[in-house]
Amino acid sequence: MSGVDARPVVPPTRPRAVACGFCSHPYIQPCTAETEAACPNMIWLRGAAQQSTRHHYIPQFYLRRWAGEDDKVCEFSRPYKNKIYRQRVYPIQTGFKDRLYETPGVPRSIAQQVEDKFMSPVDNFAAKALDIIEADVGKTQNDAERRSAWSLFLMSLMTRMPEDLVALTQVVEDDWKRILPHLRERYSANRKSDDPETIEEFIEKKDPDYIGRWVMDDLRDLTDHEGIGQALTAMRWSVVVTLDDAPPFLTSDRPLYMSKTFSEPGCYLTLPIGPHRLFVAANTEEVERMFKDRPPKDLAQEVNSQVAKQAVKYVYGLDHSELEFVDKLISSDRPPRLMERLLDRRRQGRAHASKGPRVASK
């Protein structure tokens, strides 16, 4: 049993038991916390190390690059409309949401697998890749493993945020509504006398968390999207280093900036990777050179404006010296996220399709 099958449970004509991959017992419906508790083959899993429930959408290894001698970063936020707040926090204290990547409707022993076996390894491998990128980005040119690890991390920054999961949930719910008429027909044809009247009632009774599991499955697939990964890996990578007396780069809870779509020649991505280091991925040498030739003060102001404007809750810096700057720009111009654009395109496509072909009037 995968334990995290995303699609809703629809009764087949002849239910067929499948062996559970975790406990080896046969099952028809996915295991639940109750069935797990009664399963003797799961005892060994109950003694395993506690799984994480604090899920950082802004990884700690990344934020530590702005930490001072107190091991804290300066966090700017505006929880209320009028006043900007600043405080020094440890990276573990910010940029997280408890159980953000939890898979619902599965045993507790596997509920945090998206965090523990996907997001956490993504961050760990990215941290190692970043050490090499920072020391000598040219060494990654022929290092497929490190280049892939860093590309996957960049993709995760496009898909792992709380609002990304909200948009992805809406995509999944739209897909469910689209296939629902077909499933209703199947259910009606195969329904037994003691089954609920409708498929909606059946699923609510047997598998109420199917949407949540579907979302978690799709999150991993989209984060590790082959086409986007190849596009990122093929770009020109560089690191712009500014002197210590130059204005430091800020970062935020939405630190990755993408100028255009990957297919456009002028496309570039920027990600501050420290107070005086900026990672740049560009499609052309001309765009890459543009960043290297910019005066440090102008470059810092442009990058800091981008990361502050698209922030949702938090902007981070070395200290509170940029308080006035952040106060003016925080969350003032947030462009649509990848997931939000995906949702919008799919809805527009379906709306266009639903209109059908035009019939010329006579």
Side-chain angles (χ1 to χ4, degrees), residues 336-350:
R337 301 273 300 167
L338 175 66
M339 293 291 197
E340 294 166 336
R341 295 199 303 270
L342 173 63
L343 175 64
D344 186 56
R345 283 200 304 268
R346 294 182 73 163
R347 285 183 170 176
Q348 287 182 357
R350 286 172 188 157

Side-chain angles (χ1 to χ4, degrees), residues 82-93:
N82 297 324
K83 188 175 181 181
I84 190 80
Y85 288 85
R86 71 173 190 270
Q87 61 177 337
R88 295 197 66 77
V89 298
Y90 293 106
I92 197 173
Q93 296 175 309

Side-chain angles (χ1 to χ4, degrees), residues 1-67:
M1 180 191 75
S2 67
V4 290
D5 290 343
R7 304 311 186 253
V9 176
V10 179
T13 306
R14 294 180 180 178
R16 182 171 60 87
V18 179
C20 174
F22 287 92
C23 68
S24 299
H25 284 182
Y27 78 99
I28 294 178
Q29 304 298 339
C31 289
T32 65
E34 290 73 25
T35 57
E36 176 195 311
C39 178
N41 288 8
M42 293 295 286
I43 292 176
W44 69 274
L45 277 177
R46 297 185 197 120
Q50 183 178 4
Q51 300 174 83
S52 60
T53 55
R54 174 163 289 190
H55 300 165
H56 282 82
Y57 48 90
I58 296 300
Q60 296 177 66
F61 89 86
Y62 175 73
L63 276 187
R64 288 193 191 103
R65 292 172 165 270
W66 278 264

Side-chain angles (χ1 to χ4, degrees), residues 187-316:
Y187 182 79
S188 178
N190 297 320
R191 177 179 170 270
K192 297 179 181 178
S193 59
D194 56 346
D195 284 337
E197 289 288 333
T198 67
I199 189 173
E200 292 90 339
E201 293 176 280
F202 179 88
I203 292 175
E204 184 61 31
K205 179 180 178 181
K206 298 289 186 179
D207 192 16
D209 297 306
Y210 68 96
I211 289 289
R213 292 202 315 279
W214 193 343
V215 168
M216 287 300 108
D217 276 358
D218 283 358
L219 173 63
R220 286 178 294 186
D221 291 341
L222 288 169
T223 300
D224 197 9
H225 190 280
E226 183 178 2
I228 296 178
Q230 290 175 348
L232 280 169
T233 302
M235 296 179 84
R236 302 176 63 91
W237 291 7
S238 59
V239 174
V240 179
V241 180
T242 61
L243 299 176
D244 289 345
D245 59 354
F249 292 116
L250 298 171
T251 190
S252 72
D253 57 1
R254 303 300 179 272
L256 183 70
Y257 178 81
M258 182 174 175
S259 65
K260 301 178 181 180
T261 61
F262 288 109
S263 60
E264 296 179 83
C267 176
Y268 65 83
L269 288 85
T270 58
L271 178 70
I273 55 174
H276 293 283
R277 283 170 172 77
L278 178 71
F279 172 81
V280 178
N283 271 351
T284 65
E285 184 178 1
E286 180 182 3
V287 173
E288 182 182 59
R289 177 55 54 189
M290 176 186 71
F291 282 94
K292 294 180 178 179
D293 292 343
R294 289 288 298 276
K297 183 177 180 179
D298 294 347
L299 180 61
Q301 179 153 356
E302 178 183 344
V303 171
N304 291 344
S305 295
Q306 290 167 349
V307 298
K309 287 179 179 179
Q310 65 188 22
V312 173
K313 287 186 177 181
Y314 307 116
V315 173
Y316 305 101

